[in-house]
Amino acid sequence: MRILRTPDDRFADLPNFPYEPRYAEVGDGLRMAYVETGPPDGEPVVLLHGEPSWSFLYRHVMPELGAAGLRAVAPDLVGFGRSDKPAEPGDHTYARHVEWTRALLYDALGLTGVTLVGQDWGGLIGLRLAAEHPERVARIVAANTGLPTGDIPMPEVWHRFKDAVATAPTLDVARFVQSGCATRLAPEVRAAYDAPFPDESYKAGPRALPGLVPHTPGDPAGPANRAAWQALTTLDRPFLVAFSDGDPITGGMAPILRSSMVGAAGLDHPVVKGAGHFLQEDAGAELGRHIAAFVTST
């Protein structure tokens, strides 16, 4: 595959994001980027972002985890952030993204006892990793996400988003992030979301991911996600559902996760008020405190 790499100078002067990038090879000739904070020997908390953001999304969450003595690790998915970008939408598959992320977390970084936090596509990938490699996982946090199998129709707002991404001549990444926030993003924050993509040729990942969400029963990822659901519903790992109260895309998944996951029983699941789909932007510090309390109390 043809691989693009965003020039480093695109990431100069990022607001409230002082973390030095680190890199690891994950196969297919690809390099993934990640940042981290907190003590190196702290319990690892992996923060997985989704479409069309990058680890910058967690800049208000990470300090809360570090202050609690936890090791916060925030990767950039392949095609996003500082990670390498396969240039063709067809280079991106659900299975490949699961494998690339697995290779980073478990092969390159050797993480065990992980608390996996996933939002949006970060959950679609993270929940698969938890189900398929439970020996590596200590806890799970689902934040405005789900694990669709294609057996239940997706909401109409999601179809509108998928179609908009597929047909837009120019993909305005910052505008899409803003549309999923309850708060108004500052110009420098919008610029940070645009930074990974110098031009349209770098946007194959954001272009591809909406179409990879299983939304029909015969979707190629359906069998693997059904198997993951079966595994997760009986997995004896604490499972926190930390959704916002204002996400029209995934909001309906919160009660399903709370009732389906055995690890969710008996936990106090927070609802982050006044936040949209990207609750890390709207209430990142609050989300970070919920995660820290969850990890340190279970």
Side-chain angles (χ1 to χ4, degrees):
M1 66 182 73
R2 184 167 63 93
I3 299 170
L4 303 177
R5 183 169 292 174
T6 304
D8 290 342
D9 61 10
R10 294 278 300 181
F11 300 99
D13 302 320
L14 296 168
N16 300 306
F17 200 66
Y19 310 107
E20 287 296 319
R22 307 179 187 192
Y23 301 94
E25 299 292 330
V26 295
D28 296 324
L30 290 165
R31 186 180 77 167
M32 280 185 77
Y34 65 99
V35 295
E36 62 175 81
T37 192
D41 60 349
E43 285 198 62
V45 179
V46 171
L47 305 168
L48 295 174
H49 71 85
E51 158 84 0
S53 61
W54 59 295
S55 57
F56 177 78
L57 180 68
Y58 283 101
R59 70 194 180 281
H60 299 307
V61 176
M62 294 175 69
E64 301 293 333
L65 303 180
L70 305 172
R71 179 189 178 190
V73 180
D76 294 336
L77 299 182
V78 169
F80 298 82
R82 293 185 173 100
S83 289
D84 284 350
K85 298 169 180 66
E88 300 299 329
D91 294 332
H92 296 264
T93 69
Y94 195 152
R96 277 180 167 175
H97 276 279
V98 171
E99 172 56 22
W100 289 328
T101 309
R102 184 208 63 79
L104 173 70
L105 300 180
Y106 300 155
D107 293 347
L109 298 183
L111 297 179
T112 59
V114 174
T115 297
L116 278 172
V117 179
Q119 183 262 342
D120 191 89
W121 259 96
L124 272 71
I125 294 170
L127 292 173
R128 281 277 299 275
L129 290 176
E132 294 169 7
H133 306 278
E135 73 283 355
R136 297 276 189 163
V137 177
R139 302 169 199 83
I140 301 165
V141 180
N144 287 2
T145 191
L147 190 64
T149 63
D151 300 313
I152 298 174
M154 296 291 287
E156 180 58 31
V157 65
W158 177 84
H159 285 282
R160 291 199 300 269
F161 171 73
K162 179 175 74 72
D163 293 344
V165 170
T167 59
T170 300
L171 190 61
D172 190 338
V173 169
R175 182 175 71 83
F176 277 122
V177 175
Q178 177 64 83
S179 69
C181 296
T183 51
R184 180 61 53 186
L185 302 183
E188 60 271 22
V189 172
R190 292 176 65 112
Y193 284 114
D194 284 330
F197 311 109
D199 59 50
E200 293 301 301
S201 68
Y202 286 77
K203 298 177 184 177
R207 289 277 190 187
L209 255 57
L212 298 180
V213 176
H215 60 283
T216 62
D219 189 278
N225 280 16
R226 292 184 195 103
W229 263 105
Q230 186 172 8
L232 289 169
T233 54
T234 58
L235 184 64
D236 62 343
R237 303 290 192 280
F239 192 114
L240 188 71
V241 181
F243 276 47
S244 71
D245 64 351
D247 183 9
I249 298 175
T250 68
M253 283 302 305
I256 296 172
L257 292 171
R258 289 195 297 263
S259 62
S260 300
M261 302 301 170
V262 65
L267 295 179
D268 183 14
H269 300 280
V271 176
V272 179
K273 297 187 181 302
H277 180 64
F278 295 106
L279 72 171
Q280 305 97 316
E281 272 295 339
D282 295 325
E286 179 184 347
L287 178 62
R289 290 191 292 271
H290 287 310
I291 297 169
F294 171 59
V295 175
T296 56
S297 66
T298 54

